[in-house]
mmCIF file of all heavy atoms in Angstrom:
data_model
loop_
_atom_site.group_PDB
_atom_site.id
_atom_site.type_symbol
_atom_site.label_atom_id
_atom_site.label_comp_id
_atom_site.label_asym_id
_atom_site.label_seq_id
_atom_site.Cartn_x
_atom_site.Cartn_y
_atom_site.Cartn_z
ATOM 1 N N ILE W 1 0.828 -1.198 0.000
ATOM 2 C CA ILE W 1 0.000 0.000 0.000
ATOM 3 C C ILE W 1 0.874 1.265 0.000
ATOM 4 O O ILE W 1 1.833 1.352 0.762
ATOM 5 C CB ILE W 1 -0.968 -0.018 1.202
ATOM 6 C CG1 ILE W 1 -1.929 1.165 1.150
ATOM 7 C CG2 ILE W 1 -0.224 -0.094 2.522
ATOM 8 C CD1 ILE W 1 -3.067 1.047 2.158
ATOM 9 N N PRO W 2 0.582 2.244 -0.851
ATOM 10 C CA PRO W 2 1.447 3.429 -0.949
ATOM 11 C C PRO W 2 1.517 4.249 0.331
ATOM 12 O O PRO W 2 2.583 4.748 0.698
ATOM 13 C CB PRO W 2 0.810 4.237 -2.093
ATOM 14 C CG PRO W 2 0.032 3.244 -2.879
ATOM 15 C CD PRO W 2 -0.453 2.232 -1.901
ATOM 16 N N ILE W 3 0.395 4.399 1.010
ATOM 17 C CA ILE W 3 0.364 5.188 2.247
ATOM 18 C C ILE W 3 -0.397 4.407 3.302
ATOM 19 O O ILE W 3 -1.519 3.941 3.058
ATOM 20 C CB ILE W 3 -0.322 6.558 2.049
ATOM 21 C CG1 ILE W 3 0.361 7.353 0.948
ATOM 22 C CG2 ILE W 3 -0.315 7.342 3.354
ATOM 23 C CD1 ILE W 3 -0.338 8.666 0.620
ATOM 24 N N ARG W 4 0.197 4.261 4.477
ATOM 25 C CA ARG W 4 -0.503 3.660 5.605
ATOM 26 C C ARG W 4 -0.216 4.473 6.867
ATOM 27 O O ARG W 4 0.905 4.461 7.379
ATOM 28 C CB ARG W 4 -0.097 2.205 5.818
ATOM 29 C CG ARG W 4 -0.598 1.591 7.118
ATOM 30 C CD ARG W 4 -2.128 1.632 7.240
ATOM 31 N NE ARG W 4 -2.774 0.587 6.462
ATOM 32 C CZ ARG W 4 -3.932 0.749 5.830
ATOM 33 N NH1 ARG W 4 -4.554 1.917 5.864
ATOM 34 N NH2 ARG W 4 -4.465 -0.244 5.148
ATOM 35 N N LEU W 5 -1.222 5.184 7.308
ATOM 36 C CA LEU W 5 -1.139 5.951 8.543
ATOM 37 C C LEU W 5 -2.267 5.492 9.459
ATOM 38 O O LEU W 5 -3.366 5.192 8.992
ATOM 39 C CB LEU W 5 -1.263 7.455 8.268
ATOM 40 C CG LEU W 5 -0.205 8.064 7.351
ATOM 41 C CD1 LEU W 5 -0.544 9.516 7.042
ATOM 42 C CD2 LEU W 5 1.177 7.966 7.988
ATOM 43 N N ILE W 6 -2.013 5.448 10.762
ATOM 44 C CA ILE W 6 -3.031 5.019 11.713
ATOM 45 C C ILE W 6 -3.266 6.099 12.764
ATOM 46 O O ILE W 6 -2.345 6.815 13.157
ATOM 47 C CB ILE W 6 -2.666 3.678 12.387
ATOM 48 C CG1 ILE W 6 -1.359 3.786 13.177
ATOM 49 C CG2 ILE W 6 -2.582 2.554 11.363
ATOM 50 C CD1 ILE W 6 -1.033 2.527 13.966
ATOM 51 N N ASP W 7 -4.500 6.198 13.207
ATOM 52 C CA ASP W 7 -4.879 7.156 14.245
ATOM 53 C C ASP W 7 -4.572 6.541 15.614
ATOM 54 O O ASP W 7 -5.046 5.456 15.934
ATOM 55 C CB ASP W 7 -6.373 7.473 14.123
ATOM 56 C CG ASP W 7 -6.813 8.609 15.031
ATOM 57 O OD1 ASP W 7 -6.592 8.506 16.259
ATOM 58 O OD2 ASP W 7 -7.379 9.590 14.523
ATOM 59 N N THR W 8 -3.776 7.221 16.428
ATOM 60 C CA THR W 8 -3.335 6.666 17.720
ATOM 61 C C THR W 8 -4.024 7.336 18.914
ATOM 62 O O THR W 8 -3.579 7.185 20.050
ATOM 63 C CB THR W 8 -1.811 6.805 17.864
ATOM 64 O OG1 THR W 8 -1.445 8.191 17.745
ATOM 65 C CG2 THR W 8 -1.092 6.008 16.785
ATOM 66 N N THR W 9 -5.120 8.040 18.660
ATOM 67 C CA THR W 9 -5.839 8.746 19.734
ATOM 68 C C THR W 9 -6.315 7.783 20.816
ATOM 69 O O THR W 9 -6.215 8.064 22.019
ATOM 70 C CB THR W 9 -7.036 9.516 19.159
ATOM 71 O OG1 THR W 9 -6.581 10.402 18.137
ATOM 72 C CG2 THR W 9 -7.740 10.304 20.247
ATOM 73 N N LYS W 10 -6.855 6.644 20.408
ATOM 74 C CA LYS W 10 -7.418 5.688 21.366
ATOM 75 C C LYS W 10 -6.356 5.138 22.309
ATOM 76 O O LYS W 10 -6.611 4.943 23.510
ATOM 77 C CB LYS W 10 -8.093 4.550 20.600
ATOM 78 C CG LYS W 10 -8.923 3.613 21.449
ATOM 79 C CD LYS W 10 -9.665 2.624 20.556
ATOM 80 C CE LYS W 10 -10.510 1.655 21.349
ATOM 81 N NZ LYS W 10 -11.233 0.691 20.460
ATOM 82 N N ALA W 11 -5.143 4.910 21.802
ATOM 83 C CA ALA W 11 -4.060 4.410 22.655
ATOM 84 C C ALA W 11 -3.702 5.429 23.733
ATOM 85 O O ALA W 11 -3.422 5.059 24.882
ATOM 86 C CB ALA W 11 -2.831 4.081 21.812
ATOM 87 N N ARG W 12 -3.681 6.688 23.364
ATOM 88 C CA ARG W 12 -3.391 7.730 24.360
ATOM 89 C C ARG W 12 -4.496 7.794 25.402
ATOM 90 O O ARG W 12 -4.222 7.966 26.600
ATOM 91 C CB ARG W 12 -3.222 9.084 23.672
ATOM 92 C CG ARG W 12 -1.983 9.191 22.798
ATOM 93 C CD ARG W 12 -1.673 10.641 22.434
ATOM 94 N NE ARG W 12 -2.760 11.258 21.672
ATOM 95 C CZ ARG W 12 -2.865 11.219 20.361
ATOM 96 N NH1 ARG W 12 -1.961 10.569 19.644
ATOM 97 N NH2 ARG W 12 -3.874 11.822 19.743
ATOM 98 N N LYS W 13 -5.732 7.625 24.967
ATOM 99 C CA LYS W 13 -6.867 7.760 25.879
ATOM 100 C C LYS W 13 -7.001 6.562 26.816
ATOM 101 O O LYS W 13 -7.152 6.731 28.036
ATOM 102 C CB LYS W 13 -8.152 7.932 25.062
ATOM 103 C CG LYS W 13 -9.403 8.104 25.904
ATOM 104 C CD LYS W 13 -10.621 8.306 25.021
ATOM 105 C CE LYS W 13 -11.883 8.449 25.864
ATOM 106 N NZ LYS W 13 -13.098 8.620 25.008
ATOM 107 N N LEU W 14 -6.959 5.352 26.260
ATOM 108 C CA LEU W 14 -7.215 4.154 27.078
ATOM 109 C C LEU W 14 -5.985 3.651 27.817
ATOM 110 O O LEU W 14 -6.099 3.110 28.924
ATOM 111 C CB LEU W 14 -7.767 3.029 26.198
ATOM 112 C CG LEU W 14 -9.146 3.241 25.584
ATOM 113 C CD1 LEU W 14 -9.611 1.962 24.895
ATOM 114 C CD2 LEU W 14 -10.164 3.673 26.638
ATOM 115 N N LEU W 15 -4.819 3.793 27.204
ATOM 116 C CA LEU W 15 -3.602 3.233 27.787
ATOM 117 C C LEU W 15 -2.669 4.296 28.353
ATOM 118 O O LEU W 15 -1.688 3.956 29.011
ATOM 119 C CB LEU W 15 -2.835 2.428 26.724
ATOM 120 C CG LEU W 15 -3.576 1.272 26.053
ATOM 121 C CD1 LEU W 15 -2.671 0.599 25.029
ATOM 122 C CD2 LEU W 15 -4.070 0.265 27.078
ATOM 123 N N ASP W 16 -2.977 5.558 28.074
ATOM 124 C CA ASP W 16 -2.052 6.646 28.402
ATOM 125 C C ASP W 16 -0.683 6.369 27.772
ATOM 126 O O ASP W 16 0.361 6.592 28.383
ATOM 127 C CB ASP W 16 -1.922 6.812 29.924
ATOM 128 C CG ASP W 16 -1.263 8.138 30.316
ATOM 129 O OD1 ASP W 16 -1.334 9.093 29.524
ATOM 130 O OD2 ASP W 16 -0.665 8.196 31.406
ATOM 131 N N PHE W 17 -0.739 5.855 26.537
ATOM 132 C CA PHE W 17 0.484 5.450 25.857
ATOM 133 C C PHE W 17 0.945 6.511 24.874
ATOM 134 O O PHE W 17 0.192 6.930 23.988
ATOM 135 C CB PHE W 17 0.282 4.137 25.103
ATOM 136 C CG PHE W 17 1.431 3.781 24.191
ATOM 137 C CD1 PHE W 17 2.632 3.327 24.731
ATOM 138 C CD2 PHE W 17 1.329 3.921 22.818
ATOM 139 C CE1 PHE W 17 3.704 3.019 23.904
ATOM 140 C CE2 PHE W 17 2.388 3.609 21.979
ATOM 141 C CZ PHE W 17 3.578 3.154 22.528
ATOM 142 N N VAL W 18 2.195 6.922 25.043
ATOM 143 C CA VAL W 18 2.864 7.810 24.105
ATOM 144 C C VAL W 18 4.247 7.233 23.854
ATOM 145 O O VAL W 18 5.005 7.009 24.798
ATOM 146 C CB VAL W 18 2.991 9.251 24.654
ATOM 147 C CG1 VAL W 18 3.748 10.126 23.662
ATOM 148 C CG2 VAL W 18 1.612 9.838 24.946
ATOM 149 N N PRO W 19 4.618 6.941 22.599
ATOM 150 C CA PRO W 19 5.944 6.365 22.323
ATOM 151 C C PRO W 19 7.060 7.312 22.728
ATOM 152 O O PRO W 19 6.930 8.533 22.614
ATOM 153 C CB PRO W 19 5.928 6.126 20.810
ATOM 154 C CG PRO W 19 4.836 6.991 20.286
ATOM 155 C CD PRO W 19 3.824 7.120 21.375
ATOM 156 N N LYS W 20 8.158 6.723 23.208
ATOM 157 C CA LYS W 20 9.279 7.511 23.724
ATOM 158 C C LYS W 20 10.414 7.678 22.721
ATOM 159 O O LYS W 20 11.251 8.574 22.880
ATOM 160 C CB LYS W 20 9.836 6.831 24.984
ATOM 161 C CG LYS W 20 8.819 6.599 26.088
ATOM 162 C CD LYS W 20 9.410 5.728 27.184
ATOM 163 C CE LYS W 20 8.383 5.391 28.242
ATOM 164 N NZ LYS W 20 8.920 4.443 29.268
ATOM 165 N N THR W 21 10.472 6.822 21.720
ATOM 166 C CA THR W 21 11.654 6.748 20.859
ATOM 167 C C THR W 21 11.360 7.335 19.486
ATOM 168 O O THR W 21 10.539 6.796 18.738
ATOM 169 C CB THR W 21 12.094 5.279 20.692
ATOM 170 O OG1 THR W 21 12.143 4.645 21.976
ATOM 171 C CG2 THR W 21 13.457 5.196 20.024
ATOM 172 N N ASP W 22 12.041 8.448 19.155
ATOM 173 C CA ASP W 22 11.832 9.010 17.822
ATOM 174 C C ASP W 22 12.573 8.177 16.784
ATOM 175 O O ASP W 22 13.374 7.298 17.112
ATOM 176 C CB ASP W 22 12.236 10.484 17.762
ATOM 177 C CG ASP W 22 13.718 10.738 17.986
ATOM 178 O OD1 ASP W 22 14.545 9.860 17.701
ATOM 179 O OD2 ASP W 22 14.060 11.844 18.456
ATOM 180 N N LEU W 23 12.296 8.451 15.522
ATOM 181 C CA LEU W 23 12.807 7.596 14.464
ATOM 182 C C LEU W 23 14.327 7.595 14.402
ATOM 183 O O LEU W 23 14.948 6.542 14.232
ATOM 184 C CB LEU W 23 12.230 8.028 13.112
ATOM 185 C CG LEU W 23 12.592 7.146 11.918
ATOM 186 C CD1 LEU W 23 12.134 5.713 12.129
ATOM 187 C CD2 LEU W 23 11.994 7.718 10.632
ATOM 188 N N GLN W 24 14.944 8.738 14.541
ATOM 189 C CA GLN W 24 16.404 8.792 14.443
ATOM 190 C C GLN W 24 17.067 7.975 15.554
ATOM 191 O O GLN W 24 17.999 7.214 15.310
ATOM 192 C CB GLN W 24 16.899 10.234 14.499
ATOM 193 C CG GLN W 24 18.403 10.358 14.278
ATOM 194 C CD GLN W 24 18.838 11.803 14.076
ATOM 195 O OE1 GLN W 24 18.140 12.719 14.458
ATOM 196 N NE2 GLN W 24 19.991 11.998 13.459
ATOM 197 N N GLU W 25 16.550 8.111 16.786
ATOM 198 C CA GLU W 25 17.125 7.352 17.904
ATOM 199 C C GLU W 25 16.877 5.858 17.715
ATOM 200 O O GLU W 25 17.773 5.034 17.952
ATOM 201 C CB GLU W 25 16.511 7.809 19.221
ATOM 202 C CG GLU W 25 17.052 7.070 20.437
ATOM 203 C CD GLU W 25 16.344 7.440 21.728
ATOM 204 O OE1 GLU W 25 15.397 8.251 21.684
ATOM 205 O OE2 GLU W 25 16.729 6.891 22.782
ATOM 206 N N GLY W 26 15.676 5.491 17.290
ATOM 207 C CA GLY W 26 15.366 4.079 17.103
ATOM 208 C C GLY W 26 16.205 3.449 16.012
ATOM 209 O O GLY W 26 16.701 2.322 16.168
ATOM 210 N N LEU W 27 16.392 4.155 14.912
ATOM 211 C CA LEU W 27 17.224 3.622 13.835
ATOM 212 C C LEU W 27 18.678 3.502 14.263
ATOM 213 O O LEU W 27 19.362 2.528 13.931
ATOM 214 C CB LEU W 27 17.104 4.499 12.597
ATOM 215 C CG LEU W 27 15.757 4.474 11.870
ATOM 216 C CD1 LEU W 27 15.749 5.482 10.728
ATOM 217 C CD2 LEU W 27 15.424 3.074 11.352
ATOM 218 N N ARG W 28 19.144 4.475 15.019
ATOM 219 C CA ARG W 28 20.533 4.419 15.501
ATOM 220 C C ARG W 28 20.732 3.203 16.404
ATOM 221 O O ARG W 28 21.713 2.458 16.261
ATOM 222 C CB ARG W 28 20.889 5.703 16.255
ATOM 223 C CG ARG W 28 22.317 5.706 16.825
ATOM 224 C CD ARG W 28 22.582 6.947 17.647
ATOM 225 N NE ARG W 28 21.617 7.107 18.727
ATOM 226 C CZ ARG W 28 21.665 6.432 19.883
ATOM 227 N NH1 ARG W 28 22.618 5.531 20.086
ATOM 228 N NH2 ARG W 28 20.758 6.649 20.819
ATOM 229 N N LYS W 29 19.822 2.975 17.336
ATOM 230 C CA LYS W 29 19.926 1.826 18.235
ATOM 231 C C LYS W 29 19.882 0.512 17.461
ATOM 232 O O LYS W 29 20.615 -0.429 17.766
ATOM 233 C CB LYS W 29 18.779 1.857 19.260
ATOM 234 C CG LYS W 29 18.905 2.926 20.323
ATOM 235 C CD LYS W 29 17.719 2.836 21.278
ATOM 236 C CE LYS W 29 17.837 3.832 22.417
ATOM 237 N NZ LYS W 29 16.667 3.758 23.341
ATOM 238 N N THR W 30 19.017 0.462 16.452
ATOM 239 C CA THR W 30 18.845 -0.777 15.699
ATOM 240 C C THR W 30 20.069 -1.084 14.849
ATOM 241 O O THR W 30 20.530 -2.236 14.799
ATOM 242 C CB THR W 30 17.594 -0.704 14.815
ATOM 243 O OG1 THR W 30 16.471 -0.338 15.615
ATOM 244 C CG2 THR W 30 17.321 -2.043 14.161
ATOM 245 N N ILE W 31 20.610 -0.075 14.192
ATOM 246 C CA ILE W 31 21.771 -0.323 13.328
ATOM 247 C C ILE W 31 22.993 -0.677 14.168
ATOM 248 O O ILE W 31 23.819 -1.504 13.775
ATOM 249 C CB ILE W 31 22.042 0.884 12.397
ATOM 250 C CG1 ILE W 31 22.827 0.424 11.162
ATOM 251 C CG2 ILE W 31 22.738 2.020 13.106
ATOM 252 C CD1 ILE W 31 22.848 1.451 10.047
ATOM 253 N N GLU W 32 23.103 -0.105 15.375
ATOM 254 C CA GLU W 32 24.192 -0.485 16.281
ATOM 255 C C GLU W 32 24.026 -1.928 16.732
ATOM 256 O O GLU W 32 25.000 -2.688 16.794
ATOM 257 C CB GLU W 32 24.221 0.455 17.491
ATOM 258 C CG GLU W 32 24.713 1.862 17.162
ATOM 259 C CD GLU W 32 24.642 2.796 18.361
ATOM 260 O OE1 GLU W 32 24.100 2.365 19.413
ATOM 261 O OE2 GLU W 32 25.103 3.944 18.254
ATOM 262 N N TRP W 33 22.801 -2.321 17.042
ATOM 263 C CA TRP W 33 22.555 -3.705 17.452
ATOM 264 C C TRP W 33 22.875 -4.652 16.307
ATOM 265 O O TRP W 33 23.483 -5.710 16.518
ATOM 266 C CB TRP W 33 21.100 -3.879 17.883
ATOM 267 C CG TRP W 33 20.795 -5.276 18.340
ATOM 268 C CD1 TRP W 33 20.883 -5.776 19.601
ATOM 269 C CD2 TRP W 33 20.399 -6.381 17.500
ATOM 270 N NE1 TRP W 33 20.549 -7.111 19.613
ATOM 271 C CE2 TRP W 33 20.251 -7.508 18.341
ATOM 272 C CE3 TRP W 33 20.142 -6.512 16.137
ATOM 273 C CZ2 TRP W 33 19.869 -8.749 17.858
ATOM 274 C CZ3 TRP W 33 19.764 -7.762 15.644
ATOM 275 C CH2 TRP W 33 19.621 -8.864 16.497
ATOM 276 N N TYR W 34 22.451 -4.302 15.103
ATOM 277 C CA TYR W 34 22.711 -5.156 13.953
ATOM 278 C C TYR W 34 24.205 -5.392 13.778
ATOM 279 O O TYR W 34 24.660 -6.515 13.573
ATOM 280 C CB TYR W 34 22.122 -4.530 12.682
ATOM 281 C CG TYR W 34 22.514 -5.260 11.422
ATOM 282 C CD1 TYR W 34 21.831 -6.406 11.027
ATOM 283 C CD2 TYR W 34 23.589 -4.841 10.644
ATOM 284 C CE1 TYR W 34 22.212 -7.100 9.885
ATOM 285 C CE2 TYR W 34 23.967 -5.525 9.503
ATOM 286 C CZ TYR W 34 23.276 -6.653 9.124
ATOM 287 O OH TYR W 34 23.645 -7.343 8.013
ATOM 288 N N ARG W 35 24.969 -4.319 13.861
ATOM 289 C CA ARG W 35 26.409 -4.444 13.643
ATOM 290 C C ARG W 35 27.072 -5.300 14.727
ATOM 291 O O ARG W 35 28.014 -6.051 14.464
ATOM 292 C CB ARG W 35 27.047 -3.052 13.627
ATOM 293 C CG ARG W 35 28.552 -3.088 13.321
ATOM 294 C CD ARG W 35 29.123 -1.703 13.132
ATOM 295 N NE ARG W 35 28.657 -1.123 11.873
ATOM 296 C CZ ARG W 35 27.755 -0.158 11.801
ATOM 297 N NH1 ARG W 35 27.218 0.345 12.893
ATOM 298 N NH2 ARG W 35 27.381 0.315 10.628
ATOM 299 N N GLU W 36 26.583 -5.208 15.952
ATOM 300 C CA GLU W 36 27.190 -5.936 17.068
ATOM 301 C C GLU W 36 26.757 -7.396 17.137
ATOM 302 O O GLU W 36 27.486 -8.233 17.677
ATOM 303 C CB GLU W 36 26.831 -5.249 18.389
ATOM 304 C CG GLU W 36 27.457 -3.876 18.558
ATOM 305 C CD GLU W 36 26.921 -3.153 19.781
ATOM 306 O OE1 GLU W 36 26.072 -3.746 20.501
ATOM 307 O OE2 GLU W 36 27.328 -1.999 20.016
ATOM 308 N N ASN W 37 25.599 -7.711 16.578
ATOM 309 C CA ASN W 37 25.030 -9.042 16.820
ATOM 310 C C ASN W 37 24.837 -9.917 15.588
ATOM 311 O O ASN W 37 24.740 -11.134 15.726
ATOM 312 C CB ASN W 37 23.663 -8.898 17.511
ATOM 313 C CG ASN W 37 23.784 -8.356 18.912
ATOM 314 O OD1 ASN W 37 23.984 -9.108 19.856
ATOM 315 N ND2 ASN W 37 23.655 -7.045 19.057
ATOM 316 N N GLN W 38 24.744 -9.335 14.422
ATOM 317 C CA GLN W 38 24.508 -10.136 13.231
ATOM 318 C C GLN W 38 25.826 -10.579 12.608
ATOM 319 O O GLN W 38 26.780 -9.820 12.528
ATOM 320 C CB GLN W 38 23.703 -9.338 12.202
ATOM 321 C CG GLN W 38 22.299 -9.002 12.657
ATOM 322 C CD GLN W 38 21.426 -10.238 12.799
ATOM 323 O OE1 GLN W 38 21.273 -11.012 11.868
ATOM 324 N NE2 GLN W 38 20.850 -10.418 13.974
ATOM 325 N N ILE W 39 25.857 -11.824 12.140
ATOM 326 C CA ILE W 39 27.016 -12.315 11.409
ATOM 327 C C ILE W 39 27.070 -11.589 10.075
ATOM 328 O O ILE W 39 26.078 -11.495 9.359
ATOM 329 C CB ILE W 39 26.920 -13.833 11.177
ATOM 330 C CG1 ILE W 39 26.905 -14.554 12.527
ATOM 331 C CG2 ILE W 39 28.075 -14.320 10.319
ATOM 332 C CD1 ILE W 39 26.667 -16.043 12.404
ATOM 333 N N LYS W 40 28.193 -11.056 9.736
ATOM 334 C CA LYS W 40 28.310 -10.296 8.505
ATOM 335 C C LYS W 40 28.084 -11.195 7.285
ATOM 336 O O LYS W 40 28.731 -12.224 7.135
ATOM 337 C CB LYS W 40 29.689 -9.641 8.406
ATOM 338 C CG LYS W 40 29.862 -8.461 9.362
ATOM 339 C CD LYS W 40 28.873 -7.354 9.021
ATOM 340 C CE LYS W 40 29.056 -6.153 9.925
ATOM 341 N NZ LYS W 40 28.098 -5.085 9.606
ATOM 342 N N ASN W 41 27.160 -10.776 6.478
ATOM 343 C CA ASN W 41 26.859 -11.490 5.231
ATOM 344 C C ASN W 41 26.386 -10.460 4.222
ATOM 345 O O ASN W 41 25.192 -10.356 3.935
ATOM 346 C CB ASN W 41 25.776 -12.548 5.468
ATOM 347 C CG ASN W 41 25.476 -13.346 4.220
ATOM 348 O OD1 ASN W 41 26.317 -13.460 3.334
ATOM 349 N ND2 ASN W 41 24.276 -13.892 4.140
ATOM 350 N N PRO W 42 27.284 -9.642 3.664
ATOM 351 C CA PRO W 42 26.876 -8.533 2.806
ATOM 352 C C PRO W 42 25.997 -8.980 1.648
ATOM 353 O O PRO W 42 26.197 -10.046 1.070
ATOM 354 C CB PRO W 42 28.219 -7.983 2.306
ATOM 355 C CG PRO W 42 29.215 -8.416 3.331
ATOM 356 C CD PRO W 42 28.733 -9.753 3.817
ATOM 357 N N LEU W 43 25.040 -8.144 1.330
ATOM 358 C CA LEU W 43 24.134 -8.437 0.237
ATOM 359 C C LEU W 43 24.816 -8.208 -1.100
ATOM 360 O O LEU W 43 25.676 -7.359 -1.236
ATOM 361 C CB LEU W 43 22.904 -7.528 0.320
ATOM 362 C CG LEU W 43 22.078 -7.635 1.606
ATOM 363 C CD1 LEU W 43 20.978 -6.605 1.578
ATOM 364 C CD2 LEU W 43 21.503 -9.016 1.757
ATOM 365 N N SER W 44 24.402 -8.949 -2.064
ATOM 366 C CA SER W 44 24.929 -8.740 -3.409
ATOM 367 C C SER W 44 24.185 -7.594 -4.075
ATOM 368 O O SER W 44 23.153 -7.145 -3.604
ATOM 369 C CB SER W 44 24.760 -10.006 -4.244
ATOM 370 O OG SER W 44 23.417 -10.142 -4.647
ATOM 371 N N LYS W 45 24.693 -7.142 -5.172
ATOM 372 C CA LYS W 45 24.081 -5.998 -5.841
ATOM 373 C C LYS W 45 22.719 -6.346 -6.439
ATOM 374 O O LYS W 45 21.956 -5.458 -6.829
ATOM 375 C CB LYS W 45 24.989 -5.478 -6.956
ATOM 376 C CG LYS W 45 25.191 -6.460 -8.112
ATOM 377 C CD LYS W 45 26.099 -5.855 -9.165
ATOM 378 C CE LYS W 45 26.304 -6.810 -10.339
ATOM 379 N NZ LYS W 45 27.177 -6.206 -11.371
ATOM 380 N N ASN W 46 22.395 -7.622 -6.507
ATOM 381 C CA ASN W 46 21.137 -8.025 -7.100
ATOM 382 C C ASN W 46 20.028 -8.215 -6.079
ATOM 383 O O ASN W 46 18.933 -8.645 -6.416
ATOM 384 C CB ASN W 46 21.301 -9.335 -7.883
ATOM 385 C CG ASN W 46 22.173 -9.165 -9.097
ATOM 386 O OD1 ASN W 46 22.070 -8.158 -9.781
ATOM 387 N ND2 ASN W 46 23.036 -10.125 -9.359
#
């Protein structure tokens, strides 16, 4: 699907849930974890 956005109003109301991790921080943490934990197997150009 070209665009998928979801309304998160109900989560804030019922769960008092607000995410803490912005995209830049989350991507940084994930790429650091990948480098430290995944066996290197570089992808081919195809």
